[in-house]
Amino acid sequence: MGDQVGDRTTGAAAGGSGEGGATGPGRAANAARTAVVWEALAGLLDRLGGGAPLDIVDAGGGTGGAAVPLAELGHRVTVVEPSPDSLAALERRAAERGVRVRGVQGEAGDLTSLFPEGGTDLVLVHNVLEYVEDPLAALREVAGITRPGGAVSLLVTNAVAGTLHRALAGHLTEARTLLEDDRGRWGPGDPVPRRFTRPGVLELIGAAGLTGERVRGVRVFADLVPGHAWEGDAHAGRHLVELEKAAAEHPELLGIATQLHVTAHRP
Ligand SMILES: C[S@@+](CC[C@H](N)C(=O)[O-])C[C@H]1O[C@@H](n2cnc3c(N)ncnc32)[C@H](O)[C@@H]1O
């Protein structure tokens, strides 16, 4: 499973300053898929710490695609991850970038046994609830280690967009199956164990004792616009980043976003 958020500097550069030559077309392409999440994270970091170092746990953080850039910003980041291979890759990535990220082998369901109750400023749960056995139990663990007033950054795969993508690829019966399936799967061969709807994810957040504030659509257009229209063209890539940012909170467009990002808080 690859990194879903990628490189903060890429997202910030291509999405913020408008320069493109330094980042190149490949990086601009990545930025179009990640800029909305990094924009949301930047807002959270500012609100929670105003620039001061925060204690951050990245649950199911994989190889550190988010954790390493956060450590580069000066935060104390711990990745909890069941895969030893991913933890080894995380260590290499952090070493290459000259930062320290603590890696702990474990599962989202173990969080309250690994960290003090209510001691973490920000918990990332990015593309992980799809894979855990019990998403509500995992989210309760996440809430348990988040400090009162602290935040959770949740990124999940959108079942509605999954249906659209399946249909556009010509897999019409699978699209129908996904649309009607409780877990948002298109069939037994589907590599994703679970997808989420906006109401479903907000219900989970509430049941876990968190308050959901903002839902953003991530990759509203990036997975629909043909690659030849922008992937080799840094200028077009920047326009796509701006389009993604503008579309992220458009309620009618949430349905077609490949991913849903929710910022939630522990009251
Ligand atoms: C799609 S990857 C996402 C990785 C990273 N969060 C990102 O956004 O790039 C899913 C990750 O969840 C991890 N994972 C699977 N089951 C888990 C569990 N029960 N608790 C925590 N992480 C889990 C996998 O090992 C993998 O690293």
Side-chain angles (χ1 to χ4, degrees):
M1 286 175 278
D3 291 334
Q4 307 292 310
V5 167
D7 188 335
R8 176 203 63 84
T9 52
T10 300
S17 68
E19 57 79 36
T23 55
R27 292 191 144 221
N30 188 38
R33 298 193 169 98
T34 63
V36 167
V37 176
W38 279 112
E39 190 176 54
L41 283 176
L44 278 176
L45 297 174
D46 192 42
R47 186 140 40 101
L48 292 170
L54 298 172
D55 288 311
I56 299 177
V57 170
D58 189 352
T63 61
V68 169
L70 287 168
E72 287 181 298
L73 290 174
H75 301 291
R76 296 176 290 269
V77 190
T78 304
V79 167
V80 177
E81 168 58 50
S83 157
D85 288 349
S86 293
L87 286 172
L90 161 72
E91 199 175 321
R92 285 194 297 274
R93 186 190 286 226
E96 276 165 19
R97 305 282 272 263
V99 292
R100 186 178 136 63
V101 174
R102 191 175 152 228
V104 174
Q105 191 168 5
E107 307 219 353
D110 302 333
L111 290 174
T112 54
S113 59
L114 294 170
F115 298 94
E117 154 81 21
T120 305
D121 297 303
L122 172 63
V123 185
L124 268 56
V125 192
H126 288 186
N127 299 293
V128 175
L129 288 190
E130 292 85 340
Y131 301 95
V132 303
E133 211 168 298
D134 182 343
L136 177 56
L139 216 44
R140 284 192 170 130
E141 290 285 303
V142 167
I145 65 163
T146 307
R147 72 161 162 82
V152 175
S153 168
L154 186 61
L155 188 64
V156 295
T157 308
N158 183 4
V160 180
T163 304
L164 176 70
H165 295 163
R166 225 52 213 156
L168 288 177
H171 303 293
L172 302 182
T173 53
E174 291 176 357
R176 168 97 187 263
T177 302
L178 198 162
L179 188 63
E180 294 173 349
D181 184 59
D182 284 350
R183 293 188 164 211
R185 304 187 73 218
W186 51 254
D190 191 338
V192 181
R194 192 183 285 105
R195 292 179 180 80
F196 296 87
T197 61
R198 179 178 181 275
V201 79
L202 290 178
E203 196 180 313
L204 268 182
I205 284 170
L210 297 164
T211 55
E213 284 177 8
R214 289 173 79 171
V215 183
R216 294 174 177 85
V218 178
R219 292 156 58 180
V220 172
F221 295 107
D223 298 329
L224 296 177
V225 178
H228 66 77
W230 63 283
E231 279 183 345
D233 179 344
H235 187 68
R238 285 197 301 279
H239 285 299
L240 186 56
V241 166
E242 292 312 316
L243 182 61
E244 288 289 339
K245 288 181 175 179
E249 293 191 70
H250 205 290
E252 284 84 7
L253 290 173
L254 275 183
I256 64 165
T258 301
Q259 297 167 309
L260 300 172
H261 181 264
V262 188
T263 51
H265 284 82
R266 177 165 171 188

